[in-house]
Amino acid sequence: MGNQTATNKQLTEQPWLDSTAQPFIVIENVSKHFGDFVAVNNVNLNIYKGELFSILGASGCGKTTLLRMLAGFETPTSGRILIDGIDVTDVPPYWRPVNMMFQSYAIFPHMTVFENVAYGLRKEGVQPAEIEKRVADMLELVQLGGYGKRKPTQLSGGERQRVALARALVKRPKVLLLDEPLAALDKKLREHTQFELMNIQDELGITFVVVTHDQEEAMILSSRIAVMKQGGFIQVGMPKEVYEYPGSRYVADFIGTVNLLEAKIESKDGDQIVAAAPEMANHVRAYTDLQLEVGDSVCIAIRPEKIYISQNEPDNDDDDRVAGVIEDFGYFGNLSLYRVRLESGRIIQVSAQNRRRSVERFLEWDDKVFLSWRVRSAVVLTA
Amino acid sequence: MNNKRSPFIFSVLAFGYAFLYIPLVSVIVYSFNDSRLATVWGGFSTRWYGELLRNDQVLDAALLSLRIAVTTATFATILGTMLGLVLARFGNFRGRTLLTGMITSPLVMPEVITGLSLLLLFVSLHGLFGWPATRGFSTITIAHITFAMAYVTVIVRSRLAAMDQSLEEAAMDLGCRPLRVVFDITIPLIAPAMISGWLLAFTLSLDDLVISSFVSGPGASTLPMLIFSKVRLGVTPDINALASIIILLVSLGVVAAWLVSRRMQKSLPSN
Ligand SMILES: Nc1ncnc2c1ncn2[C@@H]1O[C@H](COP(=O)(O)OP(=O)(O)O)[C@@H](O)[C@H]1O
Ligand SMILES: [Mg+2]
């Protein structure tokens, strides 16, 4: 994606494109076994300074274990971890230049908000006057000014989250690790807090590594995302890349919604292929960089929002199209979701922006419709 | 349905309470009996309480029992807390199962066996090292610590199991060394469990008759031992007065332990 044409500005903003850039965190062949169970399986990853990096995966795939190895609570069974050029694989947590925000927030219940945030500084031996100031500044930053004397039991979920954040940030770590930082918050608060987190990260310039199972959260927050499955990474990239150019069915399906069509390549012309998709009753076109041969089985992925739905047959032959019948639809305010049944019985999901305000719906159950999409919108997957 | 069942439940409850508390109530009532005969009501009086205070034998025994109970409770709490920490936090070290079994065995071991084996231990120690020279305060205290410690361990361990371990990890993450974490985080959070463990150990020690009888020597009688030996000569009203005081003390201990454990529930973090 524009590797060759990257400008200097791009390279400073996206250091992973720069082959000469020094990664800030290096995870090298790291595995973690619990008895016979492999929780993390030979993972390699470079994270650059100032990134807000997300590790995204289903529950139980080993995200927390990986994060705990970065924090020092678990020792890798094999492999090394470097932070800022120093091998920290065997460095205990209390000596690592890293702080963690726990999934449960782990606020000390017997201390006030002030004491909680001051704790790390006390352990560092910072002067009381400076502690006072730094804690006050940090509480201000997370919008908890004046909360210092409160006990944790007197805080709401969102406030506890911010105390945990302040407590981890006040030590000015090189890296902040966040385990499902927003999972315990309700939807509205979560959206608000996402942007707060991004602002704070931007302001302090600390490298954030966030673990989440929420793909939307990862998309919004991150500079880059690593998609994890069964202890290994299956794709690493910017949110846009991972969404628009998924490398496998799993990623395409995990990140957002997608229509996956099995197909067989019938002809090939440069980077354009034409494939027979039995479920579509006709041919599908797509562009791909993959080295494929005529006769190869592939999977064509098309996102619901890339598909136009209309009652009149579109006359644009540049686009691919197929006819179907509306099986079901849902109205979501800003958009509508349609489930369209093709002649083969296959259901295709389509989402459409509700641009016009109207009391009646344009499309109803059993309406005959045409679906069409730009050929460039179809993604060819082999894995 | 509830209405139909409630008379039954009520009578079961009444019977249960009666069964448990009529003996205690009668002891307390008769401690205020003016008559010298323990079983004949001769009017209200507090003379037996006054007589108790003038009875040196009783006072000595009471003092000994209290000294033993306080020492036992304190040591049992310290040792039990350490064991609870080891069992709950040090993962799966070698011999963990064995240690668990050994610690909890005093809870189920017949007191006669515990008492007898401790007596044999003290006797052979005396033969080998000349210690303990006499059996009394120290031997009884050691014996009490061995079984009271087991109760404290169980209480502390269950509190630790209910506690979010990431609290301790968070402290370490913020730069605290593991040993210091115990004092900064763990102990303040299990303090209620330690207090109720202390109170329980205190009550158990104060109550104990069998083990004390085995490991005490001539001239060292705890309060339960004194009562038991006096009762063999017939129940006298001053014994009732003494028993009433003990009932009061133990009830206070139980209520205090209950209050502490209720606070402990409340102070648990809500998530
Ligand atoms: N200390 C441990 N002992 C044994 N198994 C563990 C331990 N910690 C985690 N696991 C296992 O490793 C897997 C990954 O766990 P985790 O990293 O917590 O997943 P995630 O955070 O992605 O949900 C899970 O199947 C979990 O049961
Ligand atoms: Mg997790």
Side-chain angles (χ1 to χ4, degrees):
Chain A
M1 274 118 273
N3 236 347
Q4 302 82 353
T5 56
T7 62
N8 280 339
K9 180 166 182 292
Q10 263 178 322
L11 287 184
T12 34
E13 276 170 11
Q14 302 172 357
W16 49 90
L17 299 178
D18 182 357
S19 53
T20 60
Q22 278 297 316
F24 197 61
I25 305 173
V26 179
I27 301 174
E28 210 173 85
N29 301 322
V30 165
S31 294
K32 179 69 189 178
H33 299 212
F34 293 112
D36 287 341
F37 182 76
V38 183
V40 172
N41 189 8
N42 197 25
V43 161
N44 284 288
L45 181 65
N46 291 338
I47 298 175
Y48 294 84
K49 199 172 170 101
E51 270 202 82
L52 202 165
F53 193 96
S54 290
I55 297 169
L56 174 65
S59 187
C61 69
K63 308 180 296 290
T64 298
T65 307
L66 186 62
L67 204 69
R68 287 172 62 83
M69 288 194 281
L70 287 174
F73 296 118
E74 308 278 0
T75 317
T77 311
S78 61
R80 325 193 281 158
I81 294 171
L82 284 82
I83 294 174
D84 202 8
I86 297 165
D87 188 337
V88 296
T89 316
D90 297 312
V91 174
Y94 40 93
W95 282 333
R96 289 197 188 197
V98 164
N99 283 116
M100 175 147 166
M101 199 180 119
F102 288 80
Q103 191 166 1
S104 63
Y105 303 149
I107 311 252
F108 305 136
H110 58 302
M111 297 183 192
T112 60
V113 168
F114 180 89
E115 289 301 322
N116 263 281
V117 179
Y119 186 81
L121 297 177
R122 294 241 153 90
K123 294 291 128 186
E124 249 177 54
V126 177
Q127 293 304 313
E130 199 193 331
I131 292 183
E132 197 83 31
K133 182 175 180 318
R134 272 168 74 177
V135 171
D137 287 351
M138 192 46 74
L139 287 178
E140 209 60 55
L141 180 72
V142 298
Q143 296 169 23
L144 285 179
Y147 277 64
K149 289 207 170 62
R150 292 226 197 164
K151 282 287 212 174
T153 44
Q154 299 167 308
L155 299 177
S156 72
E159 288 161 355
R160 296 161 70 87
Q161 191 262 357
R162 281 179 281 160
V163 173
L165 184 65
R167 190 179 66 179
L169 282 173
V170 78
K171 294 204 30 153
R172 300 180 187 146
K174 289 182 177 171
V175 180
L176 183 71
L177 308 171
L178 303 100
D179 192 356
E180 310 260 3
L182 309 176
L185 307 180
D186 58 56
K187 191 169 162 35
K188 260 274 182 283
L189 194 55
R190 198 158 59 218
E191 284 169 5
H192 176 73
T193 314
Q194 275 167 358
F195 289 103
E196 244 178 39
L197 262 188
M198 288 165 73
N199 287 338
I200 288 174
Q201 198 264 347
D202 209 41
E203 198 164 319
L204 301 180
I206 293 174
T207 308
F208 277 31
V209 180
V210 182
V211 151
T212 177
H213 68 271
D214 183 338
Q215 47 99 7
E216 225 174 281
E217 187 176 308
M219 297 288 293
I220 294 172
L221 284 176
S222 325
S223 59
R224 284 190 301 155
I225 298 176
V227 184
M228 203 167 175
K229 184 189 179 190
Q230 289 170 6
F233 289 154
I234 47 177
Q235 191 170 358
V236 179
M238 288 184 284
K240 219 175 183 171
E241 283 172 353
V242 176
Y243 187 80
E244 302 289 354
Y245 302 91
S248 60
R249 283 165 229 225
Y250 183 84
V251 173
D253 204 29
F254 191 75
I255 313 249
T257 320
V258 72
N259 296 294
L260 295 173
L261 300 163
E262 298 304 327
K264 198 178 233 50
I265 298 179
E266 291 216 323
S267 70
K268 189 163 183 288
D269 174 18
D271 58 355
Q272 191 188 34
I273 61 160
V274 178
E279 288 171 326
M280 298 280 285
N282 50 13
H283 290 86
V284 190
R285 289 171 288 172
Y287 292 91
T288 178
D289 297 333
L290 299 168
Q291 296 305 309
L292 296 168
E293 299 299 325
V294 170
D296 283 354
S297 288
V298 292
C299 180
I300 308 284
I302 307 166
R303 297 273 184 202
E305 73 277 9
K306 304 279 195 279
I307 301 176
Y308 302 97
I309 187 165
S310 61
Q311 274 180 301
N312 307 322
E313 177 152 20
D315 51 8
N316 182 355
D317 279 335
D318 290 343
D319 292 352
D320 269 341
R321 65 170 169 269
V322 65
V325 173
I326 293 187
E327 161 107 357
D328 207 353
F329 62 85
Y331 175 74
F332 287 83
N334 55 342
L335 48 78
S336 291
L337 294 183
Y338 299 94
R339 287 162 55 80
V340 176
R341 181 194 293 279
L342 306 187
E343 251 166 62
S344 63
R346 166 70 198 247
I347 304 284
I348 297 288
Q349 302 193 58
V350 183
S351 67
Q353 290 277 341
N354 292 327
R355 286 214 184 76
R356 271 185 279 178
R357 186 166 169 219
S358 123
V359 183
E360 312 109 69
R361 296 194 183 91
F362 294 103
L363 297 167
E364 289 287 349
W365 285 282
D366 296 330
D367 276 354
K368 195 165 162 23
V369 289
F370 290 93
L371 307 180
S372 63
W373 59 90
R374 309 275 293 270
V375 173
R376 290 263 175 211
S377 297
V379 179
V380 180
L381 302 173
T382 51
Chain B
M1 195 178 95
N2 242 337
N3 286 341
K4 244 192 270 171
R5 239 201 297 174
S6 60
F8 174 69
I9 288 179
F10 180 76
S11 44
V12 168
L13 269 179
F15 180 76
Y17 279 125
F19 192 78
L20 286 171
Y21 290 109
I22 281 178
L24 297 182
V25 170
S26 73
V27 163
I28 295 170
V29 168
Y30 274 98
S31 73
F32 295 105
N33 186 1
D34 195 36
S35 165
R36 182 157 283 284
L37 294 168
T39 45
V40 180
W41 184 253
F44 180 85
S45 159
T46 54
R47 62 186 265 218
W48 302 115
Y49 287 91
E51 225 154 87
L52 268 186
L53 290 176
R54 285 186 292 277
N55 186 336
D56 281 343
Q57 205 191 4
V58 169
L59 286 181
D60 284 349
L63 195 63
L64 179 68
S65 274
L66 280 178
R67 275 170 57 214
I68 291 175
V70 169
T71 319
T72 297
T74 306
F75 277 92
T77 304
I78 294 169
L79 294 172
T81 302
M82 282 161 61
L83 280 169
L85 274 172
V86 166
L87 287 177
R89 286 291 184 268
F90 281 64
N92 243 330
F93 55 90
R94 235 181 203 306
R96 182 172 191 269
T97 319
L98 186 68
L99 184 61
T100 313
M102 274 167 46
I103 283 168
T104 45
S105 70
L107 301 179
V108 292
M109 190 73 76
E111 284 187 306
V112 179
I113 308 288
T114 313
L116 182 65
S117 56
L118 283 164
L119 174 63
L120 293 176
L121 174 74
F122 290 134
V123 168
S124 50
L125 276 177
H126 179 69
L128 286 170
F129 307 107
W131 184 93
T134 57
R135 293 198 293 281
F137 172 80
S138 51
T139 50
I140 299 174
T141 305
I142 291 171
H144 284 189
I145 290 172
T146 53
F147 74 84
M149 187 181 77
Y151 289 86
V152 179
T153 307
V154 170
I155 294 176
V156 166
R157 198 181 156 193
S158 64
R159 166 69 173 167
L160 281 170
M163 195 177 123
D164 183 3
Q165 207 166 331
S166 53
L167 290 169
E168 287 149 322
E169 287 175 343
M172 238 193 283
D173 188 65
L174 294 166
C176 188
R177 303 284 213 88
L179 188 64
R180 190 71 219 166
V181 172
V182 174
F183 292 98
D184 280 5
I185 308 296
T186 320
I187 290 187
L189 292 180
I190 60 170
M194 288 167 65
I195 293 170
S196 46
W198 192 95
L199 288 166
L200 184 64
F202 179 84
T203 324
L204 287 170
S205 166
L206 204 61
D207 270 356
D208 175 69
L209 171 65
V210 178
I211 294 177
S212 305
S213 307
F214 270 99
V215 298
S216 78
S221 284
T222 63
L223 210 46
M225 286 163 70
L226 182 75
I227 294 173
F228 191 69
S229 64
K230 273 177 157 268
V231 165
R232 276 188 298 187
L233 304 173
V235 181
T236 53
D238 58 334
I239 295 293
N240 283 336
L242 188 54
S244 301
I245 292 173
I246 295 177
I247 290 173
L248 181 71
L249 275 181
V250 171
S251 313
L252 285 178
V254 170
V255 169
W258 176 74
L259 284 176
V260 168
S261 73
R262 207 182 55 159
R263 258 201 64 190
M264 175 165 119
Q265 297 298 330
K266 275 194 195 155
S267 72
L268 276 177
S270 56
N271 56 356

